[in-house]
């Protein structure tokens, strides 16, 4: 998520903090903060207006960025809950996915937004593969099955929707399916040669 927007006061504090620290060497953070607060109170409304505009613009930029992330499918509330941790929107380890992307020698930089979008796409893909595999598990006779095994995944890739065809070369066809296909081919060859 983008950083939350600063208030008018914090914009003011950021502009004068270094000067106040320089003038008050040796004083602690609390003492400097008190001086900044006192200066803020003495500003006229017209002087504060400059900082109000900065805060307003920053808040608008923040809201635009939040809307953009939501359009990408990012669940902002869930992300805020996990912001302190290292998980992506759906629980995948965001940092690990970002590092995996960076392993591609042609990728030099991965923006946070791009990594978030790829994390979300990965989560959606995993959900799709799990549902497709569960359908194969349930097609075996147990309509209430909640168990996905390796065979179900392989069946989903080889016999399921075309969207998974890109995985065919990385996953062997289940031996039971391969054996059944060989039997069907032999039957077809026999039928053709018998005619």
């Amino acid at each position: 998520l983008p950083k939350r927007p600063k208030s008018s006061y914090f914009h003011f504090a950021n502009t004068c903090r270094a000067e106040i620290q320089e003038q008050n060497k040796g004083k602690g953070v609390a003492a400097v903060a008190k001086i900044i607060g006192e200066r803020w109170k003495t500003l006229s409304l017209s002087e504060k207006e400059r900082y109000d505009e900065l805060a307003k613009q920053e808040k608008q930029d923040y809201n635009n960025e939040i809307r953009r992330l939501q359009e990408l499918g990012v669940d902002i509330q869930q992300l805020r809950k996990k912001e302190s941790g290292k998980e992506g929107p759906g629980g995948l380890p965001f940092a690990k996915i970002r590092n995996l992307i960076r392993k591609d020698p042609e990728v030099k930089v991965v923006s946070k937004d791009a990594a978030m979008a790829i994390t979300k796409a990965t989560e959606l893909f995993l959900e799709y593969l799990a549902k497709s595999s569960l359908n194969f598990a349930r097609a075996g006779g147990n309509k209430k099955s909640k168990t996905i095994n390796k065979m179900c995944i392989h069946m989903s890739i080889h016999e399921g929707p075309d969207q998974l065809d890109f995985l065919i070369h990385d996953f062997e066809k289940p031996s039971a399916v391969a054996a059944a296909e060989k039997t069907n081919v032999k039957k077809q060859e026999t039928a053709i040669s018998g005619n």
Side-chain angles (χ1 to χ4, degrees):
L1 279 176
K3 288 183 181 178
R4 290 193 180 264
K6 294 184 287 295
S7 68
S8 303
Y9 171 78
F10 280 102
H11 280 285
F12 168 75
N14 287 344
T15 60
C16 66
R17 182 176 290 110
E19 175 194 335
I20 291 172
Q21 285 174 329
E22 183 65 31
Q23 293 170 352
N24 296 281
K25 288 184 180 175
K27 289 195 176 183
V29 175
V32 170
K34 185 176 180 182
I35 295 168
I36 292 171
E38 288 168 0
R39 276 203 193 170
W40 174 253
K41 289 177 189 175
T42 64
L43 290 181
S44 68
L45 289 177
S46 62
E47 290 172 314
K48 287 183 180 180
E49 195 173 293
R50 170 182 165 210
Y51 302 104
D52 291 339
E53 284 301 315
L54 286 172
K56 184 179 176 183
Q57 182 60 50
E58 190 172 292
K59 185 173 184 175
Q60 185 177 1
D61 293 345
Y62 174 83
N63 288 336
N64 289 341
E65 181 65 11
I66 293 295
R67 269 194 292 294
R68 193 182 67 71
L69 289 171
Q70 287 172 328
E71 288 170 4
L72 288 172
V74 176
D75 184 341
I76 300 300
Q77 288 181 341
Q78 186 177 6
L79 191 57
R80 280 188 179 131
K81 288 177 187 175
K82 295 182 179 194
E83 198 172 41
S84 60
K86 298 190 186 235
E87 293 181 348
L92 289 178
F94 174 72
K96 189 164 192 145
I97 288 176
R98 197 172 193 180
N99 289 336
L100 286 170
I101 297 166
R102 288 181 181 151
K103 285 186 178 184
D104 184 327
E106 294 186 26
V107 176
K108 292 190 182 215
V109 177
V110 183
S111 72
K112 186 173 182 179
D113 293 347
M116 290 295 278
I118 290 171
T119 300
K120 180 67 176 175
T122 303
E123 291 166 358
L124 292 172
F125 167 73
L126 291 173
E127 183 180 320
Y128 179 83
L129 180 60
K131 284 180 181 177
S132 178
S133 300
L134 187 59
N135 287 339
F136 274 94
R138 290 179 175 166
N142 184 355
K143 300 286 184 204
K144 294 182 179 180
S145 178
K146 293 185 178 184
T147 303
I148 298 172
N149 59 32
K150 183 178 176 182
M151 174 104 167
C152 297
I153 294 168
H154 285 248
M155 290 290 291
S156 181
I157 291 167
H158 286 274
E159 303 297 321
D162 291 342
Q163 292 92 331
L164 299 174
D165 282 353
F166 72 98
L167 295 170
I168 286 174
H169 300 292
D170 294 313
F171 292 85
E172 288 182 29
K173 187 171 274 197
S175 55
V177 173
E181 283 181 355
K182 283 182 186 177
T183 303
N184 287 339
V185 168
K186 285 182 182 178
K187 285 180 184 177
Q188 287 173 354
E189 288 173 354
T190 305
I192 292 171
S193 63
N195 289 334

